[in-house]
Amino acid sequence: QVQLVASGGGSVQAGGSMRLSCATSPHTYTVYAVGWYRQAPGKGHGEGVALMDSDGLTSYRDSVKGRFTVSEDNAKNTLYLQMNSLKPDDTAMYYCAVAPSMTAQQALGVNIDFSGWGQGTQVTVSS
């Protein structure tokens, strides 16, 4: 995975919504998955949240299905994560990354060691 620049995090109460953004340029991969990972407080590794691949297919972890939506604005080279009905368990540092030569489903299942990664964007959901 190659980290991209994510933004848009903040604090919100449970049940609220938030949209994260990610600058997807200048990667030049032709076969890839791109999307969102997160690392909850105290957890050593991160988890895939929502990925989209170069075939336009998406894959979500079960706990966010129906609440989160990943989308891409190619004209703006920007990837979004719309998060609705947020829960305290969604509290985490969120990262955006591109996974070369992977499908969305493959990239979703990767557990990532974020040590050595740059700053993500913090999402805090209070009860």
Side-chain angles (χ1 to χ4, degrees), residues 46-93:
E47 59 190 18
V49 177
L51 282 295
M52 173 183 289
D53 63 31
S54 45
D55 287 332
L57 301 176
T58 57
S59 190
Y60 297 89
R61 72 180 303 100
D62 287 345
S63 62
V64 308
K65 285 180 180 177
R67 301 188 298 121
F68 289 13
T69 303
V70 60
S71 62
E72 190 170 27
D73 185 335
N74 291 321
K76 296 182 179 180
N77 291 319
T78 302
L79 188 80
Y80 299 103
L81 182 66
Q82 179 66 43
M83 304 183 293
N84 299 326
S85 301
L86 281 160
K87 304 176 181 180
D89 284 349
D90 296 317
T91 294
M93 186 70 76

Side-chain angles (χ1 to χ4, degrees), residues 5 8 11-12 14 24-25 32 40 48 52 55 64 69 77 80 86 99 115 120 125 127:
V5 179
S11 297
V12 66
T24 56
S25 62
Y32 63 90
M52 173 183 289
D55 287 332
V64 308
T69 303
N77 291 319
Y80 299 103
L86 281 160
S115 58
V125 184
S127 57

